[in-house]
Amino acid sequence: MSYLLISCNTTSNNSTLVETIIEFNEAVANAKPGDAIILKNGIWEDSELLFAAEGTDEKPITLRAETPGKVFIEGVSSLKFGGNYLVVDGLHFRNGYSPTEAVVEFRVDDNNIANHCTFTNSVIEDFNKMQRDDSDLWVLFRGRHNTMSNCYIEGKTNRGPTVRVDIAGRESINNYHQIINNHFGPRPTKGGASGETIQIGDSYTSMSPSYTMVANNLFEKCNGEVEIISSKTNFNEFRNNVFYQSEGSLVTRHGNYVTIDGNYFIGDGVNENYGGIRIINTGHTVTNNYFYSIIGKNFRSPLAVMNGIPKSPLNRYNQVTDLVVAYNTYINCASPWQFGVGSNISQKDVLPLSEIRSARPIRSLVANNIIYNENGDPSPIIEHDEADGVTFKSNVINNHGLAFKAYDGLENLDFQVQEIAPYIFMPSETLKIKAYQGFGFDEFSKDIFGNSRKNDTSIGASVNPAAKDPMILDKTKYGTNWYSNEVEANDPTTHTVSNADELRIKINEAENGDIIKLKAGNYAIETSLQIHKRLNILSDDKLNTILTYSGAENTALFELHPKGFLNLKSVVLKGNSSQYAFSSINKNMFTHFGLTVLDCAISDFNYALKVYKESFAERITFQDTAISDCTNGLELSEETDDKGDYNTEYLTIKNCDFSNVNRNVIDYYRGGYDESTIGGNLLVTNSNFTNCGGKEETGILINTRGIINVAISENTFKDNPVKLVALLWGAKNNSHSNNQITNSGEIKVEENLKLKLMY
């Protein structure tokens, strides 16, 4: 259809071009079935678009960009649907945040909910609230028969799922929503719970029927938390999605009778955070899925079947029953089948009975699956608790001669695989084992490529050894037809500076990724150097390149802002004992920062590093660096709300020297007992600690309260006046080895730390 656009308030061929929010509201008020309201190209700032109208199935009312991708919704802005048969097409949300609980919402209010409405061909990019704990959603579904299609969404860092389907009242159950053909781009690690990409329902509506379809989407680097998708209602379907370089799993967290069919889970054999499918509750079917090089453990294993809590409340873990896992293919996956995941009987001394996950899976069937391990796997099946309620039928494994525990229904068979596409390998011939035909198996009528299983008795995800390349990573198949997240990398520019004024100017002028090279000399810095982009600052002469900071008390030499990623190398930093060497800003940290300090010397500061509440860095690294004569060391301990949050995913200390640091030498905190949070990560290795912690109130040199992964090894601790070097959590992934400790207390391991329950 073509449109004749004459002027702002002129209607022709049922289309109206609008330039202002007043004209938009007038056009919406007058809209009739079949009309199109067209937003003029440009920036629509601080615009709350209320699209309330009544279209029909044959004649929907459309709100669209004059040119797709040329209408930018910025500032404090949002979009709300209300009514029936409405379509929004071609908008780009950026440089702002929603004033309400959602950016795009399928309702105007509780009395005007959307049905049969579509949000399509649009982008939401970095549209974060100003504070990490200020929760919102980017797309909120209400009503029935609504669709999000061919959209691109990237960059959510604050609390709350990216997309949520609400089941709030009869008008939103049996909703049959569709989330299809979208490209979910990177969602950075949140550093705690409530960072899902899609959540369907919640604990308290989890027994309601939803029938939401999530299909043909690409999930790329969706790393927000351990659950990429959290299904919390009944009768949802997840079909033909691709999970690529995404740190998490598709999880049937609550609710029953979910279908998971024809999905791809692509790992790299290195990153243990890439997960597969995690199962809780009853009646699920997991069929025709493909797993490649997924080596995640426990919650992130390729197939994680959890233990439940007897008589579980709605918001915890119901027992797995009546599960069918059939016709799936696992290539080079570590321990692909894990049962009784989450069993925590050993923690009964510190947890209430209502938290003990002791109910094993029952009446569950694993049949007609293929496992291929190029290098062999000593434990293709792991039983965290006895898997006596699971039956195995007609499964095969080629473990390349490596012995493993035998199971009836898992046959060791020599077969080869062939590459049909990048990351996709299938058996090169039909395997000589007859598929098990259980109750209802006739419903599994197609394979992962859509081929018919009728009259076919083969096993695994594909019936055809000569299958064609499904082009699962062809990004043109997903998202909009006008936006791409493929960015051509530019070579960094090197800027050379010789004094403080030049340094400040180049920090402001430099492009993302540039290098600022410091000539030898003493740089007298009087106010904070603000980092808003990715910068590399370095020198060739560490001993004679000195940044002396004389700024105000409790200010930072390097102040790290949202999107501020600093790599600092071979520089001496000196303060006057009242300021900070590095800090985040103390409010409006709406997205991540990052810090790497290599081969530096830091002395005479109040804090070497101060990270404020609601600030988050995926990685903070200090390597080959000396920190001396500071009141405080590295302090990341302000997330004391005990909601499972923390300030960095990876804190790494390598080959460093700490001397005369009075307190908070390393203080890294995650509060609240949340079994599904499996971070942060602390590595302290090959470092020296001398005369530190003399004024530490806790009596602990390295504080790691609630951190899940801690490794302290090959360090020297000498003359540190503390009771403990560290108190480690034995029940989690905390370890220490080969440390030399002299006159510095001890490293104590406590198996079960008692933490505040989040639920």
Side-chain angles (χ1 to χ4, degrees):
M1 181 180 292
S2 61
Y3 300 96
L4 176 62
L5 304 178
I6 300 174
S7 64
C8 295
N9 287 314
T10 299
T11 300
S12 179
N13 292 342
N14 300 319
S15 65
T16 303
L17 179 67
V18 297
E19 293 189 54
T20 68
I21 195 71
I22 294 174
E23 293 176 0
F24 166 79
N25 290 335
E26 182 180 351
V28 170
N30 294 323
K32 296 179 177 59
D35 284 357
I37 301 167
I38 302 171
L39 298 183
K40 186 174 177 59
N41 290 348
I43 295 174
W44 288 68
E45 191 165 7
D46 298 338
S47 298
E48 296 185 53
L49 302 173
L50 302 181
F51 187 25
E54 292 293 331
T56 67
D57 188 9
E58 297 80 12
K59 294 183 177 182
I61 299 172
T62 300
L63 169 63
R64 67 174 182 85
E66 181 181 11
T67 304
K70 298 296 185 182
V71 171
F72 302 101
I73 312 299
E74 300 187 357
V76 184
S77 298
S78 62
L79 166 68
K80 292 185 177 183
F81 290 86
N84 295 280
Y85 296 103
L86 309 176
V87 177
V88 173
D89 185 351
L91 307 185
H92 189 166
F93 291 81
R94 68 178 192 183
N95 299 332
Y97 61 91
S98 170
T100 62
E101 65 177 307
V103 179
V104 175
E105 191 168 351
F106 285 92
R107 68 168 180 178
V108 170
D109 53 45
D110 288 341
N111 297 315
N112 194 353
I113 295 175
N115 297 287
H116 301 281
C117 293
T118 298
F119 178 61
T120 189
N121 194 34
S122 295
V123 170
I124 307 176
E125 177 188 12
D126 295 335
F127 216 70
N128 290 296
K129 297 276 194 180
M130 298 303 291
Q131 301 289 136
R132 182 172 73 151
D133 287 351
D134 193 354
S135 180
D136 74 345
L137 311 158
W138 282 7
V139 180
L140 172 59
F141 281 84
R142 287 284 186 90
R144 295 182 176 180
H145 299 284
N146 295 314
T147 298
M148 182 176 78
S149 65
N150 296 97
C151 291
Y152 179 79
I153 297 184
E154 174 185 347
K156 194 173 195 294
T157 56
N158 64 308
R159 179 175 289 273
T162 307
V163 176
R164 186 168 73 200
V165 174
D166 266 5
I167 314 295
R170 290 180 57 82
E171 69 275 6
S172 294
I173 64 173
N174 297 311
N175 56 66
Y176 294 94
H177 296 317
Q178 295 193 69
I179 301 170
I180 56 175
N181 303 323
N182 302 287
H183 183 176
F184 292 95
R187 173 160 190 174
T189 305
K190 177 187 168 290
S194 196
E196 305 94 333
T197 296
I198 297 177
Q199 182 190 77
I200 303 175
D202 60 29
S203 303
Y204 301 103
T205 60
S206 60
M207 293 299 102
S208 301
S210 181
Y211 295 100
T212 295
M213 172 71 77
V214 180
N216 303 314
N217 302 286
L218 172 61
F219 296 86
E220 179 186 14
K221 298 181 180 178
C222 292
N223 302 338
E225 61 143 89
V226 69
E227 298 179 12
I228 302 169
I229 295 178
S230 186
S231 179
K232 297 185 175 184
T233 48
N234 295 330
F235 306 113
N236 299 316
E237 297 186 31
F238 303 93
R239 296 185 182 274
N240 306 114
N241 302 287
V242 178
F243 298 85
Y244 176 63
Q245 295 183 347
S246 289
E247 297 184 351
S249 300
L250 192 170
V251 182
T252 62
R253 182 62 184 86
H254 300 300
N256 306 308
Y257 309 110
V258 166
T259 298
I260 304 174
D261 181 81
N263 303 281
Y264 296 83
F265 299 85
I266 308 299
D268 61 2
V270 177
N271 189 334
E272 293 184 0
N273 291 332
Y274 298 157
I277 296 170
R278 179 156 56 97
I279 298 293
I280 306 108
N281 281 57
T282 192
H284 307 307
T285 60
V286 178
T287 53
N288 294 319
N289 300 286
Y290 176 81
F291 304 80
Y292 175 76
S293 290
I294 301 293
I295 62 169
K297 301 175 181 178
N298 299 310
F299 279 46
R300 283 178 166 147
S301 55
L303 175 70
V305 182
M306 290 196 66
N307 265 17
I309 297 171
K311 299 180 180 179
S312 175
L314 285 174
N315 68 331
R316 303 311 293 129
Y317 288 85
N318 281 304
Q319 185 178 25
V320 174
T321 73
D322 305 294
L323 167 68
V324 174
V325 179
Y327 296 109
N328 303 284
T329 295
Y330 303 82
I331 303 294
N332 293 334
C333 293
S335 301
W337 299 342
Q338 300 195 22
F339 301 95
V341 171
S343 175
N344 62 350
I345 299 171
S346 64
Q347 295 177 270
K348 62 183 180 181
D349 293 338
V350 297
L351 293 175
L353 186 62
S354 61
E355 280 294 312
I356 301 301
R357 295 184 292 278
S358 59
R360 301 193 291 265
I362 60 173
R363 299 194 306 271
S364 294
L365 176 64
V366 178
N368 304 339
N369 301 284
I370 291 174
I371 301 173
Y372 179 91
N373 293 312
E374 184 177 0
N375 295 318
D377 184 346
S379 303
I381 300 176
I382 291 181
E383 297 179 62
H384 300 270
D385 196 353
E386 189 175 355
D388 53 351
V390 181
T391 301
F392 301 91
K393 295 286 188 181
S394 299
N395 303 285
V396 301
I397 179 172
N398 184 350
N399 213 35
H400 279 83
L402 188 64
F404 60 94
K405 179 181 175 181
Y407 286 82
D408 290 340
L410 178 59
E411 180 179 342
N412 201 349
L413 187 68
D414 185 15
F415 63 92
Q416 301 302 314
V417 296
Q418 61 184 357
E419 184 175 11
I420 64 171
Y423 309 111
I424 300 178
F425 295 79
M426 292 293 176
S428 55
E429 59 183 352
T430 301
L431 303 186
K432 296 178 180 179
I433 182 168
K434 186 176 181 180
Y436 171 77
Q437 294 299 316
F439 176 80
F441 273 43
D442 57 331
E443 297 174 6
F444 309 145
S445 59
K446 294 184 178 181
D447 73 356
I448 191 171
F449 302 123
N451 299 312
S452 174
R453 289 193 181 275
K454 187 177 181 180
N455 300 323
D456 190 283
T457 61
S458 60
I459 66 173
S462 172
V463 302
N464 183 3
K468 294 182 179 180
D469 183 354
M471 306 290 288
I472 61 170
L473 295 179
D474 178 0
K475 293 183 181 180
T476 64
K477 296 170 57 177
Y478 316 96
T480 72
N481 58 17
W482 50 266
Y483 182 92
S484 172
N485 71 343
E486 296 290 333
V487 178
E488 189 172 331
N490 294 320
D491 292 333
T493 299
T494 298
H495 312 270
T496 301
V497 300
S498 58
N499 59 56
D501 288 339
E502 290 179 358
L503 173 59
R504 191 179 303 276
I505 289 170
K506 290 304 179 185
I507 286 174
N508 292 331
E509 292 180 348
E511 298 293 331
N512 221 27
D514 279 359
I515 299 167
I516 298 177
K517 192 170 183 179
L518 307 178
K519 290 185 177 180
N522 194 330
Y523 293 69
I525 311 296
E526 297 179 351
T527 58
S528 296
L529 300 173
Q530 298 182 358
I531 307 299
H532 296 267
K533 65 196 80 168
R534 292 184 181 272
L535 287 178
N536 303 280
I537 300 177
L538 54 87
S539 81
D540 290 332
D541 187 352
K542 169 188 170 182
L543 295 179
N544 295 305
T545 306
I546 303 169
L547 273 60
T548 303
Y549 186 49
S550 61
E553 182 179 1
N554 298 329
T555 63
L557 169 54
F558 287 101
E559 188 177 76
L560 298 158
H561 288 245
K563 301 185 180 182
F565 294 82
L566 174 64
N567 292 332
L568 185 69
K569 183 178 180 181
S570 300
V571 178
V572 175
L573 308 181
K574 290 186 176 182
N576 64 15
S577 299
S578 69
Q579 326 103 322
Y580 313 151
F582 307 94
S583 80
S584 61
I585 57 174
N586 63 6
K587 61 180 180 179
N588 296 336
M589 282 297 291
F590 60 87
T591 195
H592 293 0
F593 73 99
L595 177 64
T596 299
V597 181
L598 302 175
D599 188 32
C600 291
I602 302 166
S603 65
D604 301 297
F605 286 93
N606 184 3
Y607 285 86
L609 170 66
K610 173 71 171 177
V611 179
Y612 287 99
K613 181 175 173 55
E614 300 190 60
S615 300
F616 187 78
E618 186 166 352
R619 296 183 183 274
I620 294 176
T621 299
F622 286 80
Q623 183 171 335
D624 302 316
T625 290
I627 298 176
S628 63
D629 300 311
C630 292
T631 305
N632 299 273
L634 312 180
E635 199 264 340
L636 306 93
S637 61
E638 291 202 1
E639 298 298 345
T640 55
D641 294 342
D642 291 347
K643 295 180 179 179
D645 291 333
Y646 43 99
N647 293 119
T648 186
E649 190 67 25
Y650 296 96
L651 176 59
T652 301
I653 314 296
K654 285 185 177 181
N655 304 320
C656 290
D657 289 302
F658 291 76
S659 62
N660 302 318
V661 179
N662 291 336
R663 57 179 180 260
N664 293 313
V665 180
I666 299 175
D667 195 354
Y668 184 19
Y669 182 92
R670 183 191 71 89
Y673 176 75
D674 171 24
E675 73 292 328
S676 65
T677 298
I678 57 178
N681 300 267
L682 173 65
L683 173 64
V684 183
T685 187
N686 290 300
S687 296
N688 302 310
F689 297 80
T690 307
N691 192 32
C692 292
K695 295 183 179 180
E696 176 55 55
E697 294 179 359
T698 66
I700 304 175
L701 190 72
I702 300 175
N703 282 286
T704 62
R705 178 73 172 175
I707 301 301
I708 304 300
N709 305 295
V710 177
I712 301 174
S713 65
E714 309 290 344
N715 303 291
T716 299
F717 300 93
K718 182 179 179 181
D719 296 331
N720 299 288
V722 293
K723 294 180 181 179
L724 296 175
V725 168
L727 176 61
L728 301 183
W729 193 356
K732 299 298 181 180
N733 188 30
N734 284 202
S735 66
H736 67 100
S737 63
N738 300 325
N739 298 290
Q740 297 183 21
I741 303 176
T742 305
N743 194 28
S744 300
E746 62 175 330
I747 298 178
K748 181 179 179 181
V749 178
E750 189 169 315
E751 187 66 19
N752 293 312
L753 292 178
K754 190 173 182 63
L755 297 179
K756 179 180 177 181
L757 291 176
M758 291 172 54
Y759 303 99

